[in-house]
């Protein structure tokens, strides 16, 4: 084995940091999936009839669908009847404020470094914390409501703002969109809801932390972000899960609606449990994320740092319907050990003078497989559409794979589409060069990887960028000695 | 400061160094010359700790420590600096950021407080003058798109910042025009003190017009076959390396 490989092997053997779980009393649905379970979830959440009907319709459609096999990933067949679709931590009564939340639940978030109390308040970030199937608390509600900004759990939105939910739910990702979106539509239990009224620039970052705790339970959350004319919001999402031997399913849906001149920035740092060194356990992360730039001059920007999950299947996309609208996708996807990722984006240009930019940075280590899959579609009406795509792959060692699947589909001759791609390796030369200046190998890899991913990391809000940098280093730690 | 005794090394089973003996004292400049393939760069790499070179026999002590026992980064932290013949590019990492990481890891090893951004920048400014390096170069990604001359200047700049006790310049003159050569040599000369030593590995004597060595050693087939003063370098310049080869062949017979 060459020195390169030895170094990388050692560096990639770091344990997952968030692999603990906590015992709390939970309110759970029976195992399995059928219409009764969906009725059970809906009634548990005291939902209106229209929402139950919407769920059932999605379920009936899902039953007729086939699980997709086109992604470049492989995993044993999921037995959907052996999963539990709802698990909620028991709280004596619904908390009215953060101070009333069960301290045990708050502790879970504190262990994750996410304090729902003072700390975040000082940092000026509003947080919605989702544990297993339900939201356990949202901070900063009052400050935001003064501006007319609604930031709450999805369940609460159904109760408090049914008209908005009814209007926008499924408007970007229809209930029947794809296999996992249909499943989510049938059984989703909670998530975050965010509404920014006309002309409001949301003064703080809105953030949701998702945490799977219960065993054998899927997490199916939904996020809906609506940005009215001339509004702005920056939204952050973070996720972790305990270390378990069996695989767990996470099938989320995120919908973003941007009206005229609105701008939505959505950033994710995904750190679900990736499975152990031998590929045992880990989260299946099958997520549908899509935004529509409905109004002219609107902008949606996706930034993702993907470090976790055993299998990732995820394509945050933009439908550029409004004229002069802009879609952006910045991604760093790291796979290590036996992780598999098939991720990328879709940019669908419908309006005139629409622009999109794709920057994807894949990092593969260990025995992992990392695929970029992207589609740029220029429709007939999209005069003067522009796209720039850059897909880079960085390989560490000789046992991993990097794949690129770019699709370009152009129906208007005025389009300008550029695609650049590179593949490189972290060389022993680079590491030795750093060593010779007194930098140890782990820090050398962190330095090199962060340099490589810089363009994407720069897109993240400051606090997140620091976190993401550490996470990148941590994910690859142990692969260099 | 540095004592090399009977050093043997090989790469993938092929012996390259066949018994090197060399003593270097503080304040000295030693030039290692020799024809292509004689083992000059291998010697530099072995001293720096590159792992594909396997040391098969011999010992190297540096400031009383067994150098061969130390990891490459610890050798650097002890004060061994290698100016690379082909400095690598590290995209996205600025020279400044790189060097600050290096300086602070070295300081940590030596039990010193890390330098904060302000102190580090003033250190950079001071050293920049020494090697006439453009500040713009330092905010760019390390060596990425640098010209040959810029890369070599950047090596000497790093040397200036890290203040090593033993500097090994591996064919630093290769690919440099005469102006760049002068700048680089001038930087090296200014960094010279009675406490540090320099090994200049070179194929041509041209560089030695500017960095004047106290001793010149000729390497051939992995051994030092002749040692002398600056005059030896001039002799080599005039006669080429063949007479050395003949001389070695003669002794063998």
């Amino acid at each position: 084995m060459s020195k390169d490989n030895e170094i990388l092997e050692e560096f990639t053997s770091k344990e997952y940091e968030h692999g603990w779980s906590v015992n709390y009393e939970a309110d759970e649905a029976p195992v399995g999936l059928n219409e009764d379970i969906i009725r059970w979830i809906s009634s548990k959440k005291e939902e209106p009839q229209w929402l139950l009907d919407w769920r059932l319709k999605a379920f009936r459609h899902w039953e007729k669908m086939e699980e997709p096999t086109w992604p470049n990933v492989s995993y044993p067949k999921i037995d959907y009847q052996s999963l539990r679709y709802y698990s909620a931590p028991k709280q004596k009564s619904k908390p009215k404020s953060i101070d009333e939340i069960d301290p045990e639940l708050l502790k879970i978030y504190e262990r994750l470094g996410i304090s729902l109390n003072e700390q975040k308040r000082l940092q000026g970030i509003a947080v919605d914390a989702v544990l297993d199937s339900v939201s356990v608390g949202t901070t900063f509600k009052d400050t935001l409501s003064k501006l007319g900004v609604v930031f709450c759990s999805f369940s609460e939105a159904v109760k408090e703002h049914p008209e908005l939910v009814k209007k926008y739910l499924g408007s970007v990702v229809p209930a029947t969109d794809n296999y996992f979106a249909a499943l989510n539509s049938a059984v989703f239990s909670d998530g975050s809801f965010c509404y920014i009224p006309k002309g409001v620039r949301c003064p703080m970052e809105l953030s949701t932390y998702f945490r799977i705790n219960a065993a054998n339970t899927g997490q199916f959350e939904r996020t809906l972000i609506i940005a009215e004319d001339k509004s702005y919001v920056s939204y952050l999402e973070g996720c972790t899960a305990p270390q378990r031997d069996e695989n767990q399913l996470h099938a989320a849906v995120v919908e973003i609606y941007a009206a005229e001149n609105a701008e939505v920035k959505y950033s994710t740092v995904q750190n679900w449990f990736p499975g152990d060194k031998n590929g045992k356990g880990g989260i299946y992360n099958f997520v549908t994320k899509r935004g529509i730039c409905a109004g002219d001059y609107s902008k949606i920007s996706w930034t993702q740092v993907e470090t976790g999950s055993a299998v990732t299947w995820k394509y945050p996309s933009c439908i550029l319907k409004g004229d002069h609208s802009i879609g952006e996708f910045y991604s760093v996807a790291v796979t290590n050990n036996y992780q598999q990722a098939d991720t990328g984006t879709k940019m669908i240009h419908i309006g005139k003078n629409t622009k999109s930019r794709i920057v994807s940075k894949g990092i593969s280590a260990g025995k992992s497989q990392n695929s970029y899959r992207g589609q740029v579609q220029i429709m007939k009406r999209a005069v003067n559409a522009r796209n720039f795509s850059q897909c880079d792959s960085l390989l560490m060692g000789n046992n991993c794979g990097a794949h690129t699947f770019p699709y370009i589909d152009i129906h208007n001759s005025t389009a300008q589409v550029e695609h650049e791609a590179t593949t490189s390796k972290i060389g022993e030369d680079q590491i030795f060069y750093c060593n010779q200046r007194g930098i140890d190998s782990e820090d050398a890899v962190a330095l090199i990887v962060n340099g490589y991913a810089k363009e994407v990391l720069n897109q993240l809000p400051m606090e997140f960028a620091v976190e993401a940098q550490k996470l990148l280093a941590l994910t690859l730690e142990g692969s260099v000695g | 400061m540095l004592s090399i005794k009977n050093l043997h090394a090989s790469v993938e089973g092929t012996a390259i160094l066949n018994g090197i003996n060399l003593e270097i004292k503080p304040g000295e400049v030693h030039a290692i010359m020799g024809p292509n393939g004689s083992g000059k760069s291998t010697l530099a790499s072995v001293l720096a700790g590159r792992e594909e070179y396997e040391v098969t026999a011999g010992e190297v002590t540096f400031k009383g420590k067994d150098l061969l026992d130390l990891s490459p980064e610890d050798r650097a932290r002890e004060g061994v600096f290698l100016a690379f013949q082909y400095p690598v590019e590290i995209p996205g990492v600025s020279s400044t950021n790189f060097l600050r990481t290096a300086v602070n890891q070295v300081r940590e090893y030596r039990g010193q407080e890390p330098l904060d951004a302000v102190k580090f920048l003033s250190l950079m400014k001071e050293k920049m003058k020494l090697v006439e390096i453009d500040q713009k170069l330092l905010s760019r990604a390390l060596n990425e798109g640098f010209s040959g001359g810029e890369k070599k200047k950047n090596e000497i700049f790093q040397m200036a910042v890290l203040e090593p006790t033993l500097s090994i310049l591996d064919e630093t003159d290769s690919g440099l025009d005469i102006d760049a050569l002068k700048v680089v040599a001038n930087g090296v000369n200014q960094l010279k003190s009675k406490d540090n030593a320099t090994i200049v590995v070179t194929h041509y004597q041209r560089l030695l017009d500017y960095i004047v060595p106290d001793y010149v050693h000729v390497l051939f087939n992995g051994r030092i076959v002749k040692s002398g003063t600056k005059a030896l370098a001039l002799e080599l310049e005039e006669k080429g390396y063949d007479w050395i080869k003949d001389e070695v062949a003669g002794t063998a017979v």
Side-chain angles (χ1 to χ4, degrees):
Chain A
M1 191 165 50
S2 82
K3 162 79 173 155
D4 253 358
N5 285 356
E6 270 175 57
I7 288 179
L8 297 172
E9 203 112 307
E10 248 185 87
F11 195 67
T12 31
S13 49
K14 166 87 189 184
E15 298 293 327
Y16 183 68
E17 199 189 9
H18 300 295
W20 43 271
S21 65
V22 169
N23 286 324
Y24 53 78
E25 241 191 308
D27 205 354
E28 291 177 335
V31 168
L33 183 57
N34 53 50
E35 290 200 5
D36 287 341
I37 293 284
I38 290 164
R39 287 198 175 86
W40 188 93
I41 294 171
S42 190
S43 82
K44 195 90 204 161
K45 304 194 74 69
E46 300 162 359
E47 283 176 358
Q49 185 63 36
W50 67 264
L51 191 51
L52 174 62
D53 292 344
W54 192 80
R55 286 174 179 277
L56 290 171
K57 202 177 138 201
F59 177 69
R60 284 167 199 149
H61 191 86
W62 177 76
E63 280 187 308
K64 283 180 253 155
M65 292 173 99
E66 294 279 338
E67 198 168 322
T69 51
W70 50 262
N72 187 27
V73 296
S74 66
Y75 53 91
K77 215 171 157 39
I78 300 170
D79 179 3
Y80 290 91
Q81 293 306 333
S82 71
L83 292 179
R84 194 189 301 282
Y85 289 83
Y86 186 90
S87 173
K90 253 184 200 158
Q91 297 201 42
K92 281 174 200 83
S93 62
K94 185 105 184 89
K96 284 185 196 66
S97 75
I98 296 293
D99 308 325
E100 286 177 35
I101 295 175
D102 187 338
E104 283 300 308
L105 300 181
L106 287 180
K107 266 188 214 153
I108 292 183
Y109 281 88
E110 255 147 45
R111 250 178 105 168
L112 291 168
I114 305 149
S115 164
L116 297 179
N117 291 314
E118 213 44 52
Q119 190 192 346
K120 284 287 148 162
R121 224 165 272 177
L122 292 172
Q123 285 169 357
I125 295 173
V127 181
D128 183 29
V130 176
L131 187 63
D132 292 335
S133 303
V134 297
S135 167
V136 294
T138 310
T139 61
F140 268 119
K141 261 185 180 166
D142 295 344
T143 323
L144 291 169
S145 70
K146 277 178 199 140
L147 291 163
V149 173
V150 181
F151 180 48
C152 62
S153 72
F154 206 95
S155 321
E156 223 175 309
V158 170
K159 289 198 176 92
E160 310 285 332
H161 307 278
E163 68 302 334
L164 284 173
V165 175
K166 203 170 174 181
K167 183 172 169 196
Y168 290 101
L169 176 69
S171 67
V172 190
V173 179
T176 54
D177 188 80
N178 67 66
Y179 190 78
F180 298 110
L183 179 63
N184 173 287
S185 302
V187 302
F188 78 92
S189 40
D190 214 334
S192 293
F193 176 86
C194 166
Y195 175 83
I196 317 292
K198 231 178 188 170
V200 172
R201 202 185 153 84
C202 189
M204 60 186 76
E205 313 272 354
L206 301 186
S207 145
T208 302
Y209 271 87
F210 294 109
R211 168 82 183 168
I212 296 179
N213 193 71
N216 212 14
T217 303
Q219 183 160 2
F220 306 92
E221 83 275 356
R222 260 191 111 89
T223 303
L224 179 54
I225 299 171
I226 303 154
E228 295 283 25
D229 294 356
K230 292 183 184 145
S231 66
Y232 168 86
V233 65
S234 168
Y235 194 92
L236 317 171
E237 176 201 292
C239 4
T240 56
Q243 197 163 337
R244 297 192 188 280
D245 283 347
E246 76 273 14
N247 295 104
Q248 280 182 286
L249 178 62
H250 171 251
V253 171
V254 176
E255 295 180 279
I256 300 177
Y257 180 91
E260 206 177 301
N261 266 306
E263 183 179 345
V264 179
K265 217 174 134 64
Y266 193 104
S267 312
T268 308
V269 174
Q270 187 262 106
N271 184 24
W272 294 120
F273 177 51
D276 69 10
K277 266 181 254 178
N278 304 315
K280 200 164 188 217
I283 303 288
Y284 293 155
N285 191 35
F286 301 149
V287 173
T288 308
K289 290 184 171 178
R290 195 177 300 152
I292 183 165
C293 286
D296 295 351
Y297 298 98
S298 55
K299 180 176 174 184
I300 292 176
S301 179
W302 297 100
T303 304
Q304 58 173 17
V305 176
E306 301 280 309
T307 62
S309 298
V311 181
T312 300
W313 178 99
K314 181 177 160 188
Y315 316 92
S317 306
C318 298
I319 302 169
L320 303 171
K321 187 162 167 254
D323 293 345
H324 308 277
S325 61
I326 299 173
E328 290 177 338
F329 174 75
Y330 296 94
S331 168
V332 179
V334 190
T335 52
N336 195 353
N337 297 320
Y338 285 88
Q339 280 178 276
Q340 307 173 68
D342 192 305
T343 183
T345 183
K346 269 196 233 176
M347 292 290 172
I348 300 166
H349 294 252
I350 301 172
K352 290 176 200 127
N353 300 311
T354 46
K355 277 193 264 182
S356 63
R357 184 180 172 83
I358 298 170
V359 178
S360 163
K361 303 269 182 179
I363 302 167
S364 331
K367 296 183 171 67
S368 69
Q369 296 295 325
N370 200 325
S371 305
Y372 166 80
R373 188 183 302 274
Q375 185 178 18
V376 176
Q377 200 171 13
I378 314 278
M379 309 298 258
K380 239 182 177 158
R381 210 176 67 77
V383 181
N384 285 324
R386 299 271 184 281
N387 162 263
F388 172 77
S389 302
Q390 187 189 330
C391 304
D392 297 334
S393 307
L394 185 69
L395 296 163
M396 299 173 68
N398 294 325
N399 300 315
C400 53
H403 316 267
T404 309
F405 304 96
Y407 303 88
I408 296 172
D409 183 15
I410 300 174
H411 299 277
N412 185 307
S413 60
T414 60
Q416 269 189 29
V417 176
E418 289 172 76
H419 184 96
E420 282 178 16
T422 66
T423 302
S424 52
K425 268 185 92 166
I426 286 196
E428 185 195 329
D429 283 356
Q430 286 175 323
I431 292 171
F432 180 68
Y433 189 84
C434 296
N435 288 160
Q436 214 302 306
R437 297 297 182 255
I439 301 170
D440 64 42
S441 298
E442 286 203 354
D443 286 336
V445 168
L447 204 64
I448 295 165
V449 165
N450 280 317
Y452 167 78
K454 196 175 170 189
E455 216 182 327
V456 175
L457 297 177
N458 281 348
Q459 297 295 324
L460 291 170
M462 189 57 147
E463 193 214 15
F464 246 38
V466 174
E467 215 172 292
Q469 270 190 22
K470 281 190 206 142
L471 197 57
L472 281 184
L474 210 67
T475 306
L476 294 166
E477 205 170 297
S479 67
V480 173
Chain B
M1 171 194 292
L2 182 76
S3 164
I4 304 175
K5 289 198 179 102
N6 191 33
L7 182 64
H8 287 68
S10 61
V11 179
E12 288 167 358
T14 310
I16 311 272
L17 301 183
N18 298 303
I20 302 265
N21 291 292
L22 187 60
E23 291 287 332
I24 294 178
K25 294 190 187 72
E28 293 178 348
V29 176
H30 289 244
I32 310 268
M33 301 185 71
N36 288 327
S38 57
K40 301 187 299 283
S41 284
T42 299
L43 177 61
S45 295
V46 167
L47 293 178
R50 195 166 213 145
E51 285 208 18
E52 60 269 33
Y53 296 90
E54 194 195 344
V55 175
T56 47
E59 56 189 69
V60 180
T61 43
F62 176 63
K63 296 194 292 191
K65 283 191 179 141
D66 179 357
L67 188 73
L68 301 176
D69 202 34
L70 298 174
S71 68
E73 57 269 32
D74 282 350
R75 294 181 199 196
R77 293 161 183 172
E78 287 287 345
V80 176
F81 181 93
L82 173 64
F84 285 75
Q85 186 178 1
Y86 305 108
V88 299
E89 302 187 354
I90 305 185
V93 178
S94 72
S95 292
T96 309
N97 186 16
F98 172 77
L99 209 45
R100 192 173 162 205
T101 309
V103 165
N104 283 337
Q105 287 217 357
V106 170
R107 291 181 68 89
E108 192 186 325
Y109 179 84
R110 295 177 186 166
Q112 296 163 309
E113 287 289 305
L115 289 184
D116 61 30
V118 177
K119 284 199 186 116
F120 179 72
L121 284 177
S122 65
L123 174 71
M124 291 249 299
K125 283 232 168 79
E126 177 198 326
K127 304 292 183 182
M128 260 157 46
K129 288 189 206 126
L130 220 59
V131 289
E132 300 172 37
I133 198 165
D134 191 350
Q135 186 158 18
K136 276 185 212 138
L137 211 58
L138 301 176
S139 52
R140 275 167 54 186
L142 187 65
N143 291 326
E144 202 184 23
F146 284 24
S147 70
E150 286 170 335
K151 281 184 184 172
K152 296 294 170 69
K153 262 195 209 175
N154 191 25
E155 291 292 288
I156 303 305
F157 171 69
Q158 292 182 23
M159 185 175 126
V161 172
L162 290 164
E163 298 173 337
T165 25
L166 175 68
S167 305
I168 306 163
L169 311 181
D170 187 8
E171 310 229 5
T172 297
D173 48 340
S174 68
L176 288 191
D177 60 32
I178 195 74
D179 293 329
L181 188 74
K182 279 183 191 163
V183 171
V184 164
N186 186 35
V188 173
N189 287 329
Q190 292 205 43
L191 294 170
K192 255 196 323 198
S193 76
K194 63 175 176 34
D195 302 317
N196 62 27
T198 312
I199 298 176
V200 182
V201 174
T202 182
H203 187 77
Y204 303 104
Q205 93 76 41
R206 191 179 66 153
L207 178 63
L208 306 181
D209 284 340
Y210 302 99
I211 304 173
V212 182
D214 299 302
Y215 302 95
V216 174
H217 309 279
V218 181
L219 207 60
F220 182 61
N221 281 343
R223 275 197 203 97
I224 290 174
V225 293
K226 206 169 180 64
S227 294
T229 57
K230 173 86 182 27
L232 178 59
L234 292 168
E235 200 178 349
L236 286 167
E237 172 87 347
E238 202 181 312
K239 299 193 202 164
Y241 285 106
D242 285 348
W243 65 277
I244 297 259
K245 293 180 193 171
D246 293 343
E247 219 179 86
V248 173
T251 3
V253 169

